[in-house]
Every structure is written in structure tokens, then in C-alpha cells.
Amino acid sequence: MAAVIETFLAFLRLGLTAFGGPVAHLAYFRDTFVVRRGWLDDARFAEIVALSQFLPGPASSQTGMAIGMLRAGWPGLLAAWLAFTAPSALLLFGFAALVRHDLAALGSGWLAGVKAAVVAVVAHALAGMARQLLRGGGQWAIAAGAASIVLAIGGTASQLAVIALSALAGLLLPTATAGAPEMPAPAARSRRGAALCLGAFALLLAGLPLAAWLSGSDALALADRFYRTGALVFGGGHVVLPLLHGAVVETGLVDESAFLAGYGAAQAVPGPLFTFSAYLGAMIGGGASGALLALLAIFLPSMLLVGGLLPHWERLRGLPRMRRAVNGVNAGVIGLLAAVLWDPVLVTGIRGPVSAAIALGALALLIGRRAPPWAVVLGAAGAGALLL
């Protein structure tokens, strides 16, 4: 129990202070658990990060779950997730209550500023991810093809098809572009427990849509939308934006303005971006129950996958075909993000010269001054309130 409490308190501190998105979160994790606490060495930490990059879902949260599991088993995984996630989820739930009360009463200028800042944040994230993940002409071609398909066809189905096609295209990439670090595998966990986790992951992915359809339950339908997003989005962070947009905006559950307002607010809080789901769940479900259901549903696939694959990681990471497929998926999600940057982010965020100037100023702060995204979003909201 002492290890569980220690894990919870360590991650709670990170949940309250870890601004800056998944890449920054990994830096915070290394400083906390490798440098300061000595729970892991650099080799084991790199191994866990590599595993998290292979899985769909939020990479930084999955890294935290794996660290918690290695430290204190399943209770440690749950403690790490809860402590790292709860602060931002509560803040975004509170923001949803404010927006639901009266979005118009808050004025439109600040919202226009937030939308302009979102253009800068997504563009900056896209550029950084492209530099890290696109290593050759083949991956650039996959990314361009993915963006073209999504822009031409649209809808969630095209996004999921792009992920599958990108994985297939990745199998054709040269092995040299798919290198993986040779590191010791994490300590083995129960193979039986791992099998149960993977079985539950697949059962929920296939069974939730059927259960929602047969029962007509709004709660099951909500759980299905967010579980499917958590199970199918590769790359985490900003990459969740296209799938969530398709799941809640294109289906008419949340309007475009409220969606982008919540996404902008998610940049201004610490912790994982996937807690945006708490905001959306509150907007759809009408309160705390909807927020909690959406939050649990979007993170549950990660919990099951980490618990199911951590014991098998040594074998899986050594498969060249697996590494090539994941590199193809990485390129495909760059294309997805490029498509959503154009529509709806840029189309709705830039409405004139003033909003364009705010977006350019925000981008300059992100690149030149390396300002944290939350500060840029708040500054843009203030600028929008004054100028728009």
C-alpha cells in the first residue's frame, strides 16, 4: 500500500504542474522517476516510452500507467492514471459547466481569440511531430496521401481507413526507417492477466457498438464513441482531435464553437490532452455522469493495452514488420492532423486580418519564445476579448 500511495502522490504533483503536452510530459516523467526518485534507469524508461509509442492512445499517459504498474502492479497503474488525470479533468468539467450555462454571455471575442490560438498550437504540434516522425520520402508520401483522402472524403470512416491503409503502406517501407532501440524488456507480469486484458479490449471494441444499438442506451452510445476513439487514435496528444471531431461534431452532438472552445481550454490546463473528453462528455451528457463516463471510456483502452502488452513487449518490439507498420501509422496520423489543421481548425479560426494576426503572434511565441501553449491560449483569449 505504501508503494501505491507514493505513486499516487508523485503523479498528483505532475498532474497539477505538467503543462506543455505529451513531449513535455515525458521530460517531466524522466526528471521525476529517473533522475530524482531513481525508480527506473534511462534504458528501462526508454523501453516504456517505446512501448507507449507503439500503442493507440495517449503516449504520455500510457508511459505513466506503465511506470505505475511496474512500481505497484495494477493498483499502481490506477493510482498513476487517477492522480495524473484528475486535476485537468476537473478543470475542464468546470469549464463545460460555464459554457453550458451561457456561452453567448461570455462574449464572442475571447472565443475568436482562442480559435486563432488553436490554429497556432496545432500547426506548431504538426511541425514538431513531422520533424520527429517523418524520416524519409516514403513516410512523407504516406502523410500526403492520408491528408488528401481525408480532405477529399471526410468523415470518421475515412480517418479509420487511412490508419489501416497507412499501416499497410508502412510494411513497404525500408527496414532502416523503422529502427527500434535494443533495450532490456520490462519485468514480466502475469501472462494470464495479460491475456484477459487483451480479450477485454477486443470484446469491448466489438461489443459496445452492438450493445448500444440493441439497447438504444444513450450512455452505452456515449461510452462506445469515446472507447472507440481511445482504441483507434495513434500518436495521442493533438492527433485525437480529428477522431473526436468526427465522433461528436459531425454527428451533431456538440457544435463547432463549443468544441473549439473546449479544445482551447484543454491547452490551458496541465495533464493529458485526452481529458478534453471530460469536457465533451459533460456537454453531451449534461453533467458529471457524462463527463466521468467519457473520461473512463477514452482511457480504458490504454489501461487494457498496457496491462496486456507490457509482459510481451520484448517479443513484439523485435518484429521488423510491426515496427514498419507503426512507422506507416505515424506518417498517416501526420496526414490526419494536417487535414484537420486545414478544416475545421484554420477555416473556423481565421476569420479576418485580426484573427490571422493573433494566430501568427501565437505561433511566433510558441516557436521563438518557446512559450507554453496554455499561456499562449490565455493570451490569445485576452487579445480576442479586446480586439474582436
Side-chain angles (χ1 to χ4, degrees):
M1 180 59 68
V4 176
I5 294 173
E6 184 185 23
T7 299
F8 180 86
L9 293 176
F11 276 95
L12 180 61
R13 184 172 182 270
L14 290 166
L16 292 168
T17 60
F19 291 93
V23 175
H25 296 164
L26 294 178
Y28 292 133
F29 287 171
R30 181 184 178 276
D31 181 67
T32 299
F33 301 114
V34 177
V35 178
R36 296 177 182 272
R37 294 179 177 267
W39 290 5
L40 307 162
D41 58 18
D42 272 315
R44 179 61 59 84
F45 181 73
E47 181 77 14
I48 292 171
V49 172
L51 171 61
S52 300
Q53 296 292 341
F54 271 105
L55 302 179
S60 62
S61 293
Q62 287 168 164
T63 298
M65 291 176 192
I67 292 172
M69 189 172 189
L70 290 173
R71 185 67 177 174
W74 269 101
L77 181 152
L78 294 173
W81 171 76
L82 178 62
F84 187 57
T85 305
S88 58
L90 289 171
L91 288 170
L92 289 172
F93 170 70
F95 183 72
L98 181 65
V99 171
R100 281 179 59 83
H101 181 261
D102 192 355
L103 182 62
L106 299 176
S108 60
W110 73 272
L111 180 56
V114 167
K115 291 180 181 179
V118 168
V119 174
V121 170
V122 176
H124 185 251
L126 175 63
M129 293 172 64
R131 284 195 303 270
Q132 292 179 5
L133 298 179
L134 301 185
R135 302 170 186 168
Q139 286 181 305
W140 279 100
I142 292 172
S148 299
I149 290 172
V150 172
L151 288 172
I153 300 175
T156 303
S158 70
Q159 296 165 4
L160 301 181
V162 158
I163 291 173
L165 291 172
S166 297
L168 293 175
L171 293 173
L172 304 177
L173 295 176
T175 305
T177 67
E182 293 299 326
M183 306 246 177
R189 297 277 168 180
S190 165
R191 295 294 178 92
R192 183 179 180 182
L196 289 174
C197 287
L198 295 178
F201 170 83
L203 181 63
L204 288 169
L205 186 61
L208 274 176
L210 180 62
W213 179 70
L214 290 175
S215 67
S217 167
D218 291 338
L220 283 177
L222 179 67
D224 171 47
R225 291 178 190 278
F226 284 90
Y227 184 89
R228 193 171 354 112
T229 297
L232 298 176
V233 59
F234 283 83
H238 299 278
V239 180
V240 75
L241 182 62
L243 287 182
L244 283 179
H245 186 273
V248 302
V249 176
E250 295 178 15
T251 56
L253 295 174
V254 177
D255 67 55
E256 191 83 66
S257 292
F259 181 85
L260 291 176
Y263 184 69
Q267 308 302 316
V269 298
L273 185 61
F274 272 48
T275 54
F276 182 31
S277 60
Y279 168 88
L280 294 174
M283 296 295 292
I284 297 168
S289 60
L292 182 60
L293 182 59
L295 187 71
L296 291 174
I298 202 170
F299 279 102
L300 182 57
S302 294
M303 296 180 189
L304 295 174
L305 288 173
V306 169
L309 293 178
L310 195 59
H312 303 290
W313 175 235
E314 182 177 22
R315 181 177 63 86
L316 288 174
R317 72 181 177 86
L319 298 176
R321 287 175 182 252
M322 174 73 76
R323 298 201 299 270
R324 291 200 297 270
V326 170
N327 275 328
V329 170
N330 286 342
V333 297
I334 295 296
L336 280 178
L337 193 55
V340 81
L341 172 62
W342 176 259
D343 186 10
V345 173
L346 194 144
V347 170
T348 60
I350 305 300
R351 309 297 290 181
V354 176
S355 59
I358 292 174
L360 289 173
L363 187 59
L365 288 173
L366 290 168
I367 296 174
R369 299 287 183 177
R370 296 186 179 180
W374 63 270
V376 170
V377 170
L378 291 178
L386 291 173
L387 302 174
L388 293 171

